[in-house]
Each structure stands twice: as C-alpha cells, then as structure tokens.
Amino acid sequence: MTGDLPTSGTLVLAGTPIGRVEDAPPRLAAELAGADVVAAEDTRRLKRLTSDLGIELRGRVVSYFEGNEQARTPQLLEALLAGERVVLVTDAGMPSVSDPGYRLVAAAVEHDVPVTSVPGPSAVLTALAVSGLPVDRFCFEGFLPRKPGERSRRLAALADEERTLVFFEAPHRTEAALRALAEAFGDDRRGAVCRELTKTHEEVRRGGLGALADWAAEGVRGEVTIVVEGAPEAGPVTDPAVLVALVAQSEATGLRRKDAIAEVAKRAGVPKRVVYDLVHKGGPQDG
C-alpha cells in the first residue's frame, strides 16, 4: 500500500512598496515571516525591507532574478511540490509585472500548485491614476526596445492604439524614448512622465510629448513611468493615396508587403482586397 502523496504548497506573489515602506500591505510582513522559502530579486533589498518591517525570516532565502530565473524555477517548483509555502518578492511592486515571476507562475499552474498574491503597490496603476489621462481602458507595454530601429517599429505598431499606454523607462533613456514617442504619435499627443512615485522627490510632468522630450533633455533621475494618451478614434480611411502611403510606411518598418496590407486594412477599416488592388494594380479593377 502506497502512502498518501504530499499536498503541494502555495506560491505567494507578494507586492512590495514602490517607495515608502509605510505603503506595504499589512499581510506582507506575516507572509514573509511565515514563509518556508522567500525568493527575492535582490536579497540585500529584502534584508532592508524585513528590517524596516521589524520581522525576522524563519525560512530560507534564495535569489531569483533575470539572470538565474530559468535555472532557479525548477528548484522552487520542487519546493512547492514538496508542500512548502514560497513567497516571491521583487525590488518594488508586483512580481511578474516587468519583473521576475512569470516562469514560476506558469510552472506552478502547469503542476496544479495554488497561486495567490498579497496585493501591493503598482507603479503602473499609480502612474495611471495621477497622469490626468483617461484610465477606463489602458494597456501596459513595459520597456521599449533599446535599439532605435526596433523601438520605431514597436511604436509604429501602436500608433493607432486608442487605449492609454503605459511604459517603464530607465532615466538615462527617457529623453530618447520621449523623442521616439513624439515622432511616432505627434508632438502634441498628451503624456505624463511620472518620476520617483510615492518617494520624497516624486514628480509628475504633464504635457505634449514634444515638450516633455525637451524637458527630459536636461536630465532625468529616478524610477520613470511614462503614460501616453491613446490615439483619437478614427473612422474608415477611404482615400486610395493615403492607403497606399500607409502600406509603404508599414513596409518601411520591416513588415512584409502581405502583412503590411493586412495591417493597413485592419487599421483603415476596409477589406484587404481593396488595399491589395490599390497597391498591386493601381486601383480597384472592373470585372
């Protein structure tokens, strides 16, 4: 007769303060103190956090960051399957939101391990709330590509996105990101640069993307979140010359012609055959 299989543990995604330690959710201290394993993006920052919270960890602490995430995930999954409670924390905010965590969550779900969270501060939602831009519909795009060509292609694909956009950016790349955003969306598209949210030197700059880029040229310090107004709602595009030009622009970003035609047709609200005929035959053909 075989023994009972061990009951799996629980993965806890714990939100940590993005600024002031007073913003830590009340459950955070209890979860950290009671965890069998604490996986931390930066163990030194975890030590400072537990000191500020006035707690001691009884479980073991392991590092879990971008460089070792793939290799460490199987080890943490093994702990979960053995019945241990694993608490995952990142440097700030919610794990797996542009931070380590996705791989471990996916592995836990695949093996039917319960996954829960200690909701905490989020730079994405905080920036949205203070931006002054519409928040009823939004999308989070994380960090833009560092290479100018890749960044331009990403933004070209977002040019007609009607939802408010949220980006993370490094301070030394903020000006370049804002210049690229202004080039893709227009100098007058409204935006907000949210710097050092909830911290002593918190600052929110609002205005057109062109003006924000000029401001950033003087130098930006601290953690940065950029919020950008969505594109205005547009009706169908029917001008043949405009449709052909849009295809050419999409091809210039590296798309194949077939994909460019499909993208433009979708954006313009017209059948693909119409755009195809304009590009390949100079206009719709009579039967």
Side-chain angles (χ1 to χ4, degrees), residues 96-260:
S96 80
V97 181
S98 273
D99 276 330
Y102 167 75
R103 285 189 176 91
L104 184 55
V105 171
V109 169
E110 183 180 355
H111 288 80
D112 295 323
V113 173
V115 179
T116 188
S117 71
V118 178
S122 164
V124 175
L125 297 180
T126 303
L128 272 168
V130 303
S131 69
L133 298 172
V135 297
D136 54 330
R137 296 173 64 235
F138 70 91
C139 57
F140 174 56
E141 287 291 324
F143 286 89
L144 286 169
R146 298 185 183 188
K147 295 181 179 179
E150 294 177 7
R151 184 169 56 210
S152 296
R153 286 191 288 275
R154 171 79 65 82
L155 293 177
L158 294 170
D160 295 322
E161 174 57 65
E162 295 176 3
R163 294 171 295 179
T164 298
L165 297 156
V166 184
F167 304 90
F168 285 162
E169 195 49 89
H172 63 280
R173 292 196 299 269
T174 298
E175 181 193 0
L178 288 166
R179 297 278 179 212
L181 285 162
E183 182 177 344
F185 302 160
D187 286 343
D188 296 330
R189 179 81 72 89
R190 292 188 300 165
V193 179
C194 306
R195 187 180 71 83
E196 293 291 86
L197 286 168
T198 77
K199 300 177 184 177
T200 302
H201 300 292
E202 175 179 288
E203 180 180 20
V204 180
R205 282 273 178 170
R206 305 175 182 86
L209 292 172
L212 289 173
D214 292 339
W215 163 78
E218 300 176 6
V220 177
R221 300 179 65 182
E223 302 288 336
V224 174
T225 304
I226 300 173
V227 186
V228 181
E229 181 181 33
E233 187 173 349
V237 177
T238 57
D239 187 323
V242 172
L243 292 170
V244 172
L246 288 173
V247 172
Q249 289 175 12
S250 293
E251 285 188 277
T253 68
L255 285 181
R256 296 180 304 170
R257 175 164 291 186
K258 177 182 177 182
D259 295 330

